[in-house]
Amino acid sequence: MQNNQPTLNKRAQGWLNFLHLKATTPDDWSEEGEPNEWWDKTSTAPMCSFPRFDLQESTYAIGLMADKTPAWREVYSEILDEIAERSITYWAAVDWLSQFGHDPDRPNYPEYWKGTLIPEEFWGNYDAPGWTANGVAPWGFHMDPIGADGNLFFKGWLNLTQSLHTYVSGYDKWSSPFSVAGAYSSRFEWTQHQLADHLHQQWSKTPMGPHCENTKAWPFCLSAAGLGLMMYDKIFDNQFHSSYSNWLSFTKDKYYGFGKNGSLEWVTMYFDEINNHHHRTVPTHGLAVAFYAKPQDPQFAELLYRGAINFLGWDKPSIPITNEFMSDPRMFALGLTMSREFGDQVTHERLKKYAEENFEPQFFGLNDSQFGFWFNLGEKWPRGQLSALAMCAEVCEPKSWEDLFNKPNLTKFYSPSIQCVDYPALFVEMAFHDDQNGQLYLSVCDGNKTKTNQKTSIEVFNLPDANSITVLCDGEEFKNYTVIDNSKISINTEVKKHIFEIKTGYYLSKEQEQNLNKKLREFKSLESNSARQSSNFISRLILPSNLNNCGCC
């Protein structure tokens, strides 16, 4: 097989299996229930110790994996749909819906928060990061977690999650009205288009950026919100991302401090407009911003990344990597992934060695078919938020995080693809259609060893002429397939390692690809709001009528 398409390694396969289990196992995120214990509501307290951070951070590796196997999308779409559904529940916004007024626990804050998380001059009379303070002056009480003046981190990441789901699946589900949980069991109706417009409008009126917790605007969260608007614009041909670009230009010299030699000296953790306070922290925090900024402003993101690793000495082989001054593994996980994204081989190899020794990588579950990082915490499940960030390094190639948002693959919905895979018994390592050469490359393997060597089938769809294809299996001519109709076949195979190469006869030149993307964007930009209520924007454009119509699933 002559192609350079990357495959998903065993760890990526195991992480996907675990995420699929987490996402498809029913649990109750309503006011009356509680998320399953494997959803991480513990990491990086007090700011991130809520289960929605596990939801949103679990989407990143899914987006990267989906771009690695663009001809196989069904499992990624299912996981992202389940995550997005949980992201509009009570527990997704539990902080905004339960933390009213000032924090009554102020007198009991740990002493080490003084100066590190809370300004010394306000100690004892200031809410810690992570306390949303819904209802405090001058904003008042807001029952709607999206419509609120604050709560940027909830709605910014919600838009990012919905945008990734739409991009991967081609299903614009969130263009239709959905109901988001509000305070005191209330419900509020929104569409993603309204959500994105609301974010843009709020941001445009707030040069320093909308706040998350009342009083606090976070460059970290705002950068994630900008990334959501970036993907939204790519899908729906809009200009909402301009609010991020304008904000970044306005705040670069306010939220970050650089020395005369260009070295990063400090980063604003959060800005309190009421008290005109920039809560500055060490350059390490630049990693958190750089991760989200990389697709949006690669040069600035690299300044933050280089400044952080230089401060930590991670790029200096003579300096040992330790957690002496940084016990929370979050920045290590971000550094591991970002060093891979930037192609920083020296730093990546050093952090990879550190991760192998300290992140406790482990296969587990049914026949050891799942994988995660346990971080030596003695818990029953891999720590979700931290594992999700570290796992991006397992599926990331240099620039692939940047390309996910800057070069979204929309023509994949036209190309021959596969579906109806008996997942997780059968795993897809590679699924890629070379549109220039008219070849579909497919590699499968035993997923969880529950159906080893048993018969199974894989459906190939979007074929221009199912009666004119040629199939190779492990390098040999292969005839054991059934023609379903002119655009579909069903490959009859077994649950074991196989490599298929299918001459599909579908071609798309670079020029045609550009024209096709233009057509997509032109169509979507002309859609009325009522037209956007349809279930699948790609299916309204694509010529094969059978897309997302898997009769055997």
Side-chain angles (χ1 to χ4, degrees):
M1 179 180 296
Q2 300 297 318
N3 78 93
N4 298 316
Q5 182 68 11
T7 60
L8 297 175
N9 66 28
K10 290 296 182 184
R11 288 186 172 187
Q13 295 170 32
W15 178 245
L16 184 64
N17 285 345
F18 181 50
L19 277 188
H20 184 258
L21 177 66
K22 285 175 72 171
T24 58
T25 299
D27 57 353
D28 187 354
W29 286 58
S30 73
E31 293 87 341
E32 291 75 34
E34 188 169 354
N36 194 304
E37 63 180 342
W38 53 32
W39 295 106
D40 177 8
K41 55 180 179 180
T42 304
S43 294
T44 317
M47 295 84 69
C48 300
S49 49
F50 302 96
R52 77 163 170 276
F53 283 91
D54 194 347
L55 292 177
Q56 61 210 25
E57 286 166 350
S58 293
T59 65
Y60 309 151
I62 294 293
L64 289 165
M65 283 191 269
D67 264 9
K68 274 197 167 185
T69 63
W72 181 57
R73 303 178 291 274
E74 56 189 354
V75 170
Y76 308 127
S77 301
E78 182 180 16
I79 294 172
L80 288 170
D81 182 65
E82 294 284 355
I83 286 176
E85 285 286 354
R86 287 177 173 87
S87 297
I88 55 176
T89 63
Y90 170 81
W91 274 96
V94 64
D95 43 351
W96 189 259
L97 305 182
S98 64
Q99 296 177 347
F100 305 141
H102 293 298
D103 186 0
D105 200 39
R106 282 177 176 179
N108 301 316
Y109 286 166
E111 189 70 22
Y112 68 87
W113 286 5
K114 185 177 182 179
T116 56
L117 294 181
I118 298 174
E120 290 191 35
E121 61 266 37
F122 305 139
W123 181 253
N125 191 35
Y126 197 83
D127 295 323
W131 182 268
T132 54
N134 186 2
V136 300
W139 301 282
F141 180 66
H142 293 267
M143 295 181 67
D144 182 352
I146 293 178
D149 287 330
N151 210 25
L152 176 279
F153 51 175
F154 170 76
K155 50 197 162 193
W157 262 295
L158 175 59
N159 180 55
L160 175 55
T161 297
Q162 291 178 340
S163 295
L164 284 170
H165 174 241
T166 301
Y167 166 63
V168 170
S169 68
Y171 175 30
D172 62 341
K173 172 179 180 176
W174 309 106
S175 294
S176 300
F178 60 85
S179 180
V180 64
Y184 300 116
S185 300
S186 60
R187 295 293 183 269
F188 296 88
E189 187 174 281
W190 287 83
T191 68
Q192 188 185 7
H193 304 304
Q194 293 168 339
L195 165 60
D197 180 67
H198 173 64
L199 274 170
H200 174 65
Q201 295 297 332
Q202 272 197 324
W203 213 331
S204 300
K205 297 172 185 176
T206 318
M208 296 296 281
H211 50 273
C212 294
E213 304 98 339
N214 277 329
T215 77
K216 301 179 183 69
W218 293 70
F220 162 59
C221 302
L222 287 157
S223 298
L227 202 54
L229 289 176
M230 186 179 196
M231 180 60 82
Y232 175 88
D233 283 357
K234 293 290 185 181
I235 297 169
F236 294 108
D237 193 35
N238 217 314
Q239 301 297 322
F240 289 156
H241 187 249
S242 61
S243 56
Y244 168 85
S245 303
N246 294 337
W247 165 80
L248 186 61
S249 296
F250 182 72
T251 58
K252 275 182 180 179
D253 61 347
K254 300 173 179 63
Y255 282 162
Y256 313 94
F258 294 91
K260 292 181 179 180
N261 63 352
S263 62
L264 183 63
E265 294 185 340
W266 54 265
V267 174
T268 295
M269 179 184 289
Y270 59 82
F271 170 66
D272 181 338
E273 188 171 13
I274 296 297
N275 292 287
N276 193 28
H277 172 75
H278 285 266
H279 198 70
R280 296 176 177 179
T281 187
V282 294
T284 305
H285 194 72
L287 288 170
V289 181
F291 177 75
Y292 296 102
K294 175 61 160 59
Q296 304 177 81
D297 191 327
Q299 291 75 30
F300 185 66
E302 186 159 10
L303 279 178
L304 298 180
Y305 166 75
R306 299 290 176 187
I309 64 168
N310 183 264
F311 173 80
L312 293 164
W314 289 351
D315 57 347
K316 301 177 179 63
S318 61
I319 300 177
I321 294 177
T322 70
N323 65 351
E324 183 179 359
F325 303 107
M326 193 169 55
S327 57
D328 189 335
R330 182 177 295 271
M331 294 304 173
F332 287 104
L334 283 167
L336 181 69
T337 289
M338 290 307 293
S339 60
R340 180 66 175 150
E341 166 71 13
F342 278 111
D344 182 357
Q345 193 67 17
V346 171
T347 303
H348 182 71
E349 289 301 325
R350 298 188 74 218
L351 286 171
K352 185 176 180 181
K353 182 176 184 296
Y354 178 88
E356 293 302 303
E357 296 171 352
N358 294 275
F359 285 8
E360 196 183 2
Q362 188 178 135
F363 285 92
F364 66 100
L366 180 64
N367 297 319
D368 280 342
S369 62
Q370 297 160 21
F371 178 82
F373 293 102
W374 300 69
F375 294 94
N376 300 296
L377 295 169
E379 297 173 340
K380 291 175 63 176
W381 306 102
R383 182 64 72 86
Q385 296 180 42
L386 306 178
S387 280
L389 294 172
M391 276 306 305
C392 290
E394 294 288 341
V395 295
C396 189
E397 307 292 332
K399 279 193 69 182
S400 59
W401 179 242
E402 179 182 336
D403 287 347
L404 174 62
F405 295 88
N406 284 277
K407 299 177 181 178
N409 180 356
L410 298 178
T411 60
K412 63 191 175 187
F413 299 104
Y414 289 75
S415 303
S417 302
I418 65 167
Q419 59 188 5
C420 297
V421 174
D422 186 11
Y423 181 86
L426 186 69
F427 193 88
V428 178
E429 297 175 308
M430 177 175 62
F432 168 72
H433 190 270
D434 186 331
D435 290 346
Q436 278 67 58
N437 295 316
Q439 300 270 91
L440 176 64
Y441 299 100
L442 172 63
S443 175
V444 298
C445 64
D446 194 338
N448 59 15
K449 297 181 176 60
T450 59
K451 298 182 179 180
T452 304
N453 294 325
Q454 292 185 26
K455 292 182 179 179
T456 190
S457 63
I458 304 166
E459 189 172 290
V460 182
F461 67 104
N462 275 354
L463 294 166
D465 184 357
N467 294 293
S468 300
I469 63 171
T470 302
V471 182
L472 299 179
C473 177
D474 302 326
E476 302 292 333
E477 186 177 5
F478 183 83
K479 295 289 189 180
N480 190 12
Y481 62 87
T482 304
V483 175
I484 300 173
D485 59 33
N486 192 56
S487 65
K488 287 183 187 176
I489 67 167
S490 179
I491 295 175
N492 305 308
T493 185
E494 312 86 32
V495 178
K496 62 186 293 187
K497 175 75 174 181
H498 281 304
I499 300 175
F500 294 93
E501 185 175 344
I502 303 172
K503 187 72 174 177
T504 64
Y506 176 86
Y507 297 92
L508 190 68
S509 69
K510 287 294 183 183
E511 182 180 359
Q512 289 172 320
E513 181 179 345
Q514 292 171 357
N515 290 336
L516 198 51
N517 279 321
K518 182 180 179 182
K519 178 184 174 185
L520 278 164
R521 289 186 169 86
E522 286 176 349
F523 183 92
K524 285 178 285 180
S525 67
L526 291 172
E527 286 185 295
S528 66
N529 287 333
S530 59
R532 277 179 171 169
Q533 304 308 312
S534 300
S535 64
N536 192 314
F537 74 78
I538 296 295
S539 68
R540 297 199 298 276
L541 295 175
I542 199 162
L543 297 176
S545 60
N546 60 325
L547 181 65
N548 292 333
N549 182 24
C550 178
C552 58
C553 295

